[in-house]
Amino acid sequence: MLYLFLRRFFVGPLVKLLFRPKVTGVENIPTTGPALLVSNHLAFSDSIFLPVAVPRQIVFPAKSEYFTAPGLKGKLVATFFRSVGQIPIDRSGGRASLAALNTGLEILKKGELFGIYPEGTRSPDGRLYKGKTGVARMAIVAGVPVIPVAMIDTEKLQPPGKLWPQWFYREKGRRLPRLVRPGVAFGKPLDFSRYEGMERDRFVLRSVTDEIMYALMELSGQEYVDMYAEKAKELIKAGESVDEHLRLGDTKAS
């Protein structure tokens, strides 16, 4: 109930008034029944702009750290995330990843919308990175429509490392307005029913994941990088070049 209230009467109107996000392709989202929404990930605010653009509630996985922070502030943050449809997910891999997959499948079985970022984390430089195969396994097992979603220019409004959208930037000592209108584009549903029962085949999983990422690349207009975003972040933090590692054929990079 709080989700719908915030979307219709508080967060939704506020976001539309302040940022005027451009939304296209919303007719591709089914009005009833389950669907898996797969999106690129440019900024923390993606998880605000995307739900506001969809007339139905979307359940998103969120880092478990958001639900376990100590103190009053931690409890308030956890309450907020739960109230807007976010569920805690342990992203440490192994059994935790399997639990996250099962949680998503249960939500889809209920006929709801489940949102996921195949890159696993935000892009460190605005480019589209290699997708993780968990999204393919979920799509095959659930057998539901897969809706590609492109977040556009949200990283320009909310640069990496910034908690809130930035309305101004500095240039030559002057404070200038950041004129950015973010976008949300929904593509046509993808159907992977031809792979039914093949969710344990790693080659099929990679093929399906790559097809999803290609659809996101086409929809978003981003440059694709054949490397996991987490690895790219490590390289950038260490002062190394992502492109140089790719040029040298760093097998550990991808």
Side-chain angles (χ1 to χ4, degrees):
M1 289 297 292
L2 182 56
Y3 179 99
L4 294 177
F5 174 80
L6 291 174
R7 184 191 173 281
R8 291 178 181 174
F9 302 109
F10 182 63
V11 177
L14 193 62
V15 165
K16 292 175 182 178
L17 175 66
L18 294 176
F19 303 106
R20 299 183 303 112
K22 182 179 180 181
V23 180
T24 59
V26 72
E27 69 275 5
N28 291 316
I29 300 174
T31 55
T32 59
L36 181 61
L37 276 63
V38 295
S39 174
N40 61 336
H41 199 11
L42 297 171
F44 178 80
S45 57
D46 293 340
S47 295
I48 297 175
F49 288 115
L50 177 49
V52 166
V54 178
R56 296 174 57 191
Q57 179 171 348
I58 309 173
V59 177
F60 268 100
K63 290 192 296 185
S64 57
E65 291 89 335
Y66 292 147
F67 298 84
T68 57
L72 178 60
K73 181 179 178 181
K75 290 181 179 179
L76 290 174
V77 169
T79 300
F80 173 78
F81 273 97
R82 287 194 178 93
S83 67
V84 295
Q86 306 277 321
I87 57 172
I89 293 293
D90 185 343
R91 301 192 301 183
S92 59
R95 291 182 180 273
S97 295
L98 181 60
L101 170 65
N102 291 336
T103 299
L105 290 174
E106 286 300 317
I107 289 166
L108 291 170
K109 284 180 182 178
K110 294 177 183 177
E112 300 179 29
L113 300 179
F114 188 73
I116 190 170
Y117 300 114
E119 293 168 278
T121 187
R122 287 171 293 218
S123 170
D125 55 13
R127 295 188 289 181
L128 183 69
Y129 283 82
K130 188 174 182 178
K132 296 189 174 183
T133 58
V135 64
R137 185 175 288 108
M138 187 178 294
I140 294 172
V141 174
V144 300
V146 177
I147 315 293
V149 185
M151 306 305 301
I152 300 170
D153 289 341
T154 53
E155 85 286 5
K156 295 176 182 177
L157 183 64
Q158 186 184 20
K162 299 296 184 181
L163 184 60
W164 306 107
Q166 307 294 299
W167 281 277
F168 298 92
Y169 68 97
R170 290 190 176 277
E171 183 177 295
K172 297 180 180 180
R174 293 185 300 169
R175 200 163 179 257
L176 301 174
R178 192 183 296 272
L179 302 176
V180 178
R181 186 183 179 189
V184 186
F186 299 95
K188 293 187 179 300
L190 303 175
D191 178 12
F192 297 108
S193 59
R194 61 191 183 277
Y195 295 116
E196 183 179 358
M198 302 175 70
E199 65 274 5
R200 295 184 182 276
D201 188 318
R202 62 189 182 92
F203 295 106
V204 168
L205 293 178
R206 176 44 57 192
S207 176
V208 169
T209 303
D210 289 345
E211 185 174 338
I212 290 171
M213 301 312 292
Y214 182 82
L216 289 177
M217 180 186 71
E218 289 281 288
L219 197 60
S220 67
Q222 291 172 278
E223 176 188 349
Y224 179 75
V225 183
D226 192 24
M227 176 188 291
Y228 290 117
E230 289 151 333
K231 176 64 178 180
K233 284 185 175 181
E234 291 175 5
L235 292 173
I236 292 171
K237 187 176 181 180
E240 299 183 47
S241 168
V242 171
D243 293 324
E244 184 67 13
H245 273 257
L246 289 171
R247 188 183 68 81
L248 295 174
D250 183 356
T251 56
K252 293 182 180 180
S254 57

